Amino acid sequence: MPDSYETPRVPLAAPDDVTDHGARAELETFVRERGKAPNLFRAASVRPEIMRTLAAHLRAVTGPGEVPSLLKELVSLRVSLINDCAYCLASHTVLATRLGATSDVLRAVTEVRYDGLDPSWRAALRFADAITPTRGDASDAQYAELERHWSAAQIVEITAVAALFNYFNRFANALHIPVTR
């Protein structure tokens, strides 16, 4: 796992210190759901409008949909591994484990050993692998493999998870956001 940052480049507001009611409510929701407010959202709360939209987008992309929540967490982990984002790796390893990821599944994702996974999940993870280190390019063969297993709506969902975590990884790394403890 990559090293975590110790000192953030922007303040990490506590929920009680956030004066924007909508942003405070989002942080309090995270506390209820996860037991703490994630540092990424505490940092983003410096600009409440941005924090609120980030939280809303996260919920739309990773919340209930047409793709299993566990697969979405595994895609977020793959992207975060490729982008060397300790913050997102720590957070989403915990979330994936809560959703039932075993140590064998986590190791498969970490070591890019997808053979033991369902073929549809392999296709989704390989697609995330293809689009993350590039400008979003995947070969026609990679897309065809994804399309063999997933509907258009599911492909949009999988792509949204990979794209959102490319964003979150860059946001967390650029601002040196430390792992939430």
Side-chain angles (χ1 to χ4, degrees), residues 4-75:
S4 175
Y5 297 105
E6 299 289 324
T7 306
R9 289 180 164 167
V10 297
L12 302 178
D16 291 343
D17 296 333
V18 175
T19 58
D20 180 272
H21 296 295
R24 179 185 288 176
E26 286 292 348
L27 291 175
E28 290 169 348
T29 298
F30 278 120
V31 171
R32 281 192 305 280
E33 293 172 350
R34 298 184 183 187
K36 57 191 92 166
N39 285 346
L40 185 143
F41 292 92
R42 292 176 59 206
S45 70
V46 171
R47 289 279 292 128
E49 308 81 14
I50 292 172
M51 192 278 269
R52 287 192 314 270
T53 61
L54 288 177
H57 198 62
L58 175 69
R59 291 182 199 294
V61 170
T62 62
E66 297 191 27
V67 173
S69 295
L70 177 55
L71 177 57
K72 292 184 210 182
E73 288 300 332
L74 297 178
V75 167

Side-chain angles (χ1 to χ4, degrees), residues 74 77 92-93 96-97 101-111:
L74 297 178
L77 285 175
H92 292 278
T93 298
T97 301
T102 64
S103 58
D104 288 342
V105 168
L106 293 174
R107 191 171 22 267
V109 170
T110 302
E111 297 174 1

Side-chain angles (χ1 to χ4, degrees), residues 87-161:
Y87 173 82
C88 291
L89 281 170
S91 178
H92 292 278
T93 298
V94 168
L95 294 172
T97 301
R98 285 184 190 166
L99 290 170
T102 64
S103 58
D104 288 342
V105 168
L106 293 174
R107 191 171 22 267
V109 170
T110 302
E111 297 174 1
V112 196
R113 294 184 177 188
Y114 304 147
D115 292 342
L117 301 176
D118 180 275
S120 64
W121 288 40
R122 283 196 305 260
L125 289 164
R126 287 183 179 138
F127 187 72
D129 286 345
I131 67 173
T132 295
T134 67
R135 59 188 182 105
D137 291 336
S139 71
D140 289 341
Q142 289 163 323
Y143 186 80
E145 181 64 18
L146 187 68
E147 195 173 37
R148 253 191 291 289
H149 300 283
W150 302 99
S151 70
Q154 291 167 321
I155 290 170
V156 166
E157 211 168 304
I158 291 163
T159 305
V161 172

